Amino acid sequence: MRIVTLEEGMTIVEKGIAKATMIMDGYPSYELFTSEEYMMVYHCVYTMCVQHPPHDYSQQLYERFKRALEETICAKVLPSLMDKNSTPLLIQLLHMWAKYKAMTKCLRGFFTYLDRHYSNNFRNGTIELSLNDLSVQCFHDLIREDRDEKATDRDLLNNVSNFLVEIERGNRLYYDDFEKAILEDAAIFYSQLASEWLFRYSSADYILKAKWCLDAEKERAIHYLYLVTLEKLLKVVHWQMVVQAESKLIEKQKAENNSGSATFQELLLQCANLSLGEGTSASRSQECNMLE
């Protein structure tokens, strides 16, 4: 078999990478390559991997694949997110992620044999990531610092939630970052709301509103959060609105000298025992009225 030199092989690979990155500009892969062109890049990578040392260029190919991902993110993805925030930022992020996945699928096709030949073998005492994992990790590492603000589009929030789970691929950063931010925001919001409502409303009215908050929070969050996160969120709401406020509610109820204490105790018990299965739907108009 004829030896393919590093310079000769990389010339072919670079042409393939240059065309593949055009997917980020909206070009479909089938318009960028003929079958012959695509297979030429694949066979070039294959040959560069199976040649005997010193002509085994697996290391150089792996590094070039990684650099292609990083260059694409720096040149295409991050600039497209500049000067955007809130909903427009999240929409653009999801749009670029979809194109990025299409591009990396094309690149992984070129480097399929490299994935088998190199990525799962020991190199200098370490095991390299698979190309798919590397693609996901590079995207995540370079966009992780982007801003994250609240949005009201539930479909968008669901897509973002799926996106964050997808880029984590089991390493729990979703729970360490996204979920943590949601729970911390909820704790601050409902702590402030509880203080305000304890001042404004009677003890019985407060309990009714607290129960409504749990129902309404479930109705909203069930559209875009995974069950494990939803359960934690409802526990945060319950803790801030009921558990933390319980002693003040009892004092307030005594001060009111309310003859309907049995009703109050019943409502308090209902709220304390509220489970995920007891939520009720809350309309947008009801939500506005209850938050007044």
Side-chain angles (χ1 to χ4, degrees):
M1 180 171 58
R2 186 179 70 85
I3 296 296
V4 176
T5 66
L6 181 61
E7 181 180 3
E8 179 187 359
M10 281 302 186
T11 299
I12 297 173
V13 170
E14 290 294 341
K15 290 179 180 179
I17 290 175
K19 282 193 174 185
T21 56
M22 291 175 67
I23 294 174
M24 299 298 296
D25 297 320
Y27 293 94
S29 59
Y30 62 82
E31 290 185 2
L32 297 172
F33 299 95
T34 64
S35 299
E36 291 76 13
E37 289 172 336
Y38 196 90
M39 291 306 299
M40 180 176 67
V41 181
Y42 171 85
H43 283 303
C44 178
V45 171
Y46 170 84
T47 302
M48 294 173 74
C49 286
V50 299
Q51 294 176 152
H52 296 295
H55 303 292
D56 177 357
Y57 301 118
S58 302
Q59 175 74 43
Q60 292 90 331
L61 288 168
Y62 186 87
E63 292 301 324
R64 184 62 188 100
F65 177 86
K66 181 178 180 180
R67 193 167 74 253
L69 302 179
E70 295 170 343
E71 290 171 350
T72 299
I73 293 168
C74 291
K76 300 288 186 180
V77 178
L78 294 181
S80 76
L81 303 178
M82 296 296 292
D83 302 323
K84 291 183 175 64
N85 52 57
S86 191
T87 300
L89 173 66
L90 296 178
I91 291 174
Q92 181 66 11
L93 179 62
L94 295 172
H95 177 64
M96 296 304 291
W97 173 244
K99 292 197 290 188
Y100 176 82
K101 287 194 296 182
M103 184 203 72
T104 57
K105 180 180 179 181
C106 180
L107 287 177
R108 290 199 310 271
F110 295 153
F111 292 92
T112 297
Y113 192 79
L114 175 65
D115 208 5
R116 297 206 311 266
H117 175 75
Y118 177 73
S119 299
N120 293 324
N121 292 330
F122 283 93
R123 286 288 190 260
N124 299 322
T126 62
I127 300 179
E128 298 290 349
L129 295 170
S130 74
L131 300 186
N132 188 63
D133 288 340
L134 180 62
S135 304
V136 172
Q137 178 181 299
C138 285
F139 189 90
H140 175 270
D141 289 346
L142 292 174
I143 65 168
R144 191 176 176 190
E145 299 302 319
D146 282 322
R147 298 176 302 281
D148 179 35
E149 295 184 14
K150 292 181 180 178
T152 56
D153 185 331
R154 290 179 178 177
D155 289 336
L156 176 60
L157 284 171
N158 181 56
N159 290 335
V160 171
S161 180
N162 291 334
F163 159 73
L164 290 170
V165 172
E166 186 175 7
I167 65 174
E168 300 309 347
R169 298 186 65 79
N171 64 11
R172 295 191 59 81
L173 286 176
Y174 166 71
Y175 295 103
D176 292 341
D177 296 334
F178 179 65
E179 182 185 76
K180 181 180 178 182
I182 288 177
L183 299 181
E184 288 179 350
D185 284 345
I188 294 171
F189 176 79
Y190 285 107
S191 175
Q192 294 172 345
L193 192 63
S195 296
E196 179 185 340
W197 284 0
L198 282 167
F199 177 77
R200 292 178 59 183
Y201 299 109
S202 69
S203 54
D205 285 344
Y206 178 93
I207 288 296
L208 286 172
K209 286 180 173 290
K211 185 177 187 300
W212 174 86
C213 277
L214 283 160
D215 293 341
E217 189 67 33
K218 177 189 174 184
E219 174 62 23
R220 287 191 299 269
I222 200 170
H223 293 282
Y224 58 84
L225 292 182
Y226 285 82
L227 181 59
V228 64
T229 308
L230 176 61
E231 291 174 341
K232 293 178 182 179
L233 177 61
L234 294 181
K235 287 179 181 179
V236 167
V237 179
H238 183 271
W239 176 263
Q240 295 297 336
M241 297 297 294
V242 180
V243 178
Q244 291 286 76
E246 185 171 356
S247 61
K248 292 182 179 179
L249 280 170
I250 293 174
E251 291 176 6
K252 188 178 183 70
Q253 192 271 337
K254 289 178 180 179
E256 293 167 350
N257 193 24
N258 191 339
S259 61
S261 59
T263 301
F264 166 74
Q265 293 296 337
E266 181 181 338
L267 288 171
L268 187 61
L269 183 61
Q270 287 179 6
C271 212
N273 294 331
L274 188 65
S275 67
L276 291 179
E278 294 176 343
T280 58
S281 297
S283 67
R284 297 301 297 174
S285 61
Q286 288 175 320
E287 184 171 339
C288 292
N289 291 336
M290 290 298 290
L291 288 174
E292 290 178 354

